[in-house]
Amino acid sequence: MKLFAIFGNPVSHSKSPLMHNLSFKGLNYDACYARYRLKDGEKLKETFFDLGLKGINITVPHKEHAYIACDVLDPFAQKVGAVNTIVEKEGKLYGYNTDAPGFLKAISEFKEVKTVLFLGAGGTAQSTSSILHDEGYTVTILNRSSGRLERYKKEGFETYTFEDFNPSVYDLVINMTSAGLEDDSLPAPKEILDIVIPKAKACIDVIYGKETPFLKLAKSYRKPTKDGSDMLLYQGIIAFEYFTEYQYTFDEIKPIMEKAFLL
Ligand code: NDP
């Protein structure tokens, strides 16, 4: 039996064990998926081999450690510097980023979208902005503080803080921050959101499993909304494809893995 796990700290909240175990069982794949609270990211590789794992997902705060631990990197993971999926093959660790393609697929239901406003500039915004840019979207980044914006500026994105924001019209407004995850805060001052939301075609939050103040506000403007559940599901399906070396198609995995969201 092959053994898989999710590494993170904290990791107790993660849905990944349920998603992957349901899929292994449903597809009769002889494997099991556990969770492991990794305190020291520098011990990622050592822990992986000590536990005899075949593959892992990596969540906060270890995606950069995972990137460093890999022997071989998929070109996109290499570009964004963050790995959330590792597979072992012949003693070598192969690293991938499935968050960004998962996100891309999740927003693909919104048609005729060209311009996107990201609220937030953290790790998730980094990989997802990169894939959207590669796909031809124009992404503007608005963040609370200026520090994280430097990298985006160098990559050619239009960037603002709340103080110097010069709003335009954006087809999608997306909360990429953790505002609303464990508190009742909005990702940007309400005066700013009251300008950009009414002009948007839809609003998305990467937080899942709850209605955040951001999504509540978007709904009050009668905008179509979407939370982060599909992003989570799709990154999981893409990781599962890597884990099982493409023995199953996306459409075979999806109806099984999505049952994890009903339990
Ligand atoms: P990071 O810690 O890397 O970045 C956090 C970002 O949020 C920063 O830009 C920070 O701004 C901003 N921020 C935090 N709190 C507030 C606030 N109260 N008001 C305004 N801005 C705030 O986080 P991640 O990129 O790793 O994660 C972001 C979100 O994405 C989380 O909520 C996480 O749960 C979610 N996520 C969802 C996934 C899914 O599958 N659905 C997958 C991965 C992540 P500053 O620079 O000023 O500090």
Side-chain angles (χ1 to χ4, degrees):
M1 181 185 266
K2 289 175 179 155
L3 187 60
F4 296 85
I6 178 153
F7 282 10
N9 188 15
V11 78
S12 57
H13 65 287
S14 174
K15 256 195 185 320
S16 293
L18 185 57
M19 288 160 56
H20 287 276
N21 283 325
L22 275 176
S23 308
F24 288 142
K25 196 162 178 247
L27 293 163
N28 285 321
Y29 190 85
D30 192 17
C32 178
Y33 191 111
R35 65 180 91 230
Y36 187 88
R37 184 170 167 220
L38 183 71
K39 289 184 189 155
D40 181 358
E42 290 187 8
K43 298 216 167 111
L44 187 142
K45 192 167 191 170
E46 183 186 327
T47 309
F48 184 101
F49 285 110
D50 284 351
L51 294 174
L53 295 163
K54 175 67 186 165
I56 53 171
N57 287 126
I58 304 95
T59 187
V60 178
H62 297 315
K63 290 182 193 180
E64 283 171 20
H65 284 119
Y67 167 84
I68 294 163
C70 289
D71 301 297
V72 183
L73 285 164
D74 156 84
F76 183 75
Q78 170 109 53
K79 182 178 163 194
V80 297
V83 162
N84 78 320
T85 302
I86 291 180
V87 183
E88 179 274 327
K89 288 176 211 163
E90 293 168 355
K92 285 193 172 156
L93 298 187
Y94 287 71
Y96 309 91
N97 183 303
T98 74
D99 285 327
F103 173 77
L104 183 66
K105 188 153 176 68
I107 68 159
S108 64
E109 73 178 59
F110 297 103
K111 306 293 175 206
E112 292 177 29
V113 168
K114 290 196 180 75
T115 53
V116 179
L117 178 67
F118 270 28
L119 308 169
T124 309
Q126 210 171 294
S127 63
T128 52
S129 61
S130 178
I131 204 163
L132 290 193
H133 177 75
D134 292 351
E135 293 292 316
Y137 294 82
T138 302
V139 184
T140 302
I141 318 279
L142 174 63
N143 197 46
R144 176 175 65 178
S145 55
S146 61
R148 294 187 209 239
L149 293 175
E150 287 310 313
R151 180 182 178 140
Y152 294 87
K153 267 187 207 151
K154 280 189 197 134
E155 289 172 7
F157 289 97
E158 200 172 314
T159 65
Y160 297 101
T161 60
F162 301 155
E163 286 70 34
D164 64 10
F165 186 45
N166 181 14
S168 174
V169 176
Y170 308 98
D171 296 328
L172 292 182
V173 179
I174 308 183
N175 178 23
M176 284 282 167
T177 75
S178 39
L181 183 63
E182 278 164 357
D183 56 34
D184 282 331
S185 63
L186 286 165
K190 185 156 182 303
E191 310 83 75
I192 289 182
L193 298 176
D194 283 336
I195 295 171
V196 291
I197 292 177
K199 294 178 186 158
K201 290 182 177 150
C203 295
I204 298 172
D205 206 312
V206 290
I207 294 172
Y208 59 88
K210 66 177 285 196
E211 188 179 69
T212 59
F214 172 70
L215 286 189
K216 255 187 210 150
L217 183 63
K219 282 181 188 169
S220 77
Y221 281 108
R222 299 177 184 274
K223 294 293 164 183
T225 59
K226 186 181 185 78
D227 78 354
S229 303
D230 278 353
M231 176 184 177
L232 179 69
L233 173 65
Y234 296 153
Q235 66 73 31
I237 297 173
I238 300 166
F240 193 89
E241 290 178 322
Y242 284 123
F243 290 158
T244 56
E245 296 178 79
Y246 286 90
Q247 283 186 45
Y248 311 97
T249 64
F250 191 96
D251 292 337
E252 281 172 317
I253 304 162
K254 187 179 173 209
I256 300 172
M257 193 176 275
E258 71 187 353
K259 286 187 189 145
F261 292 83
L262 302 172
L263 297 173

